[in-house]
Amino acid sequence: MGPERRGPIHLPMDTMGIALSGMRSASTRIAVSAHNVANLLTEGFRPQRATQSAQASGGSQALVSTADQPESVDLDREIVGQIEAKTQFKASLRVLSAEAEMRGSLLDILA
């Protein structure tokens, strides 16, 4: 005899909240990068950094900090960061759309 089978494990997951937090994090990253690029030639400018981290409840959060000392803005780094944030936003939007579609299908089934 094999191992005892149990029913499926259902973990609570706020898919919509996770997707929205990803979109907020991506938006923060884009805003910080845009701020840095806009001030590329500003003398004595202290660039900002958006540090993204996972949240225990799911999703992500981007925290903004400012450099302690003036430093030059690395345009290559900013462009790559913008592309990453754009990709993150689009992926999170797709998760949000899939969640809405699944909820709609569930309501159709229950109707």
Side-chain angles (χ1 to χ4, degrees), residues 30-49:
I30 288 285
V32 165
S33 181
H35 172 74
N36 290 343
V37 171
N39 288 285
L40 180 69
L41 301 177
T42 302
E43 193 171 323
F45 178 65
R46 298 180 334 174
Q48 295 179 338
R49 293 286 168 244

Side-chain angles (χ1 to χ4, degrees), residues 8-18 55-59 99 103:
I9 298 173
H10 297 284
L11 299 175
M13 185 186 312
D14 178 16
T15 309
M16 200 169 285
I18 291 170
Q55 294 178 316
S57 60
E99 167 70 12
R103 285 180 188 232

Side-chain angles (χ1 to χ4, degrees), residues 54-89:
Q55 294 178 316
S57 60
S60 64
Q61 179 179 18
L63 299 175
V64 179
S65 61
T66 303
D68 293 331
Q69 300 293 323
E71 58 186 68
S72 62
V73 174
D74 182 350
L75 191 55
D76 293 335
R77 176 181 176 170
E78 297 300 333
I79 290 171
V80 169
Q82 288 178 12
I83 292 168
E84 288 175 346
K86 175 184 165 187
T87 303
Q88 174 189 347
F89 189 92

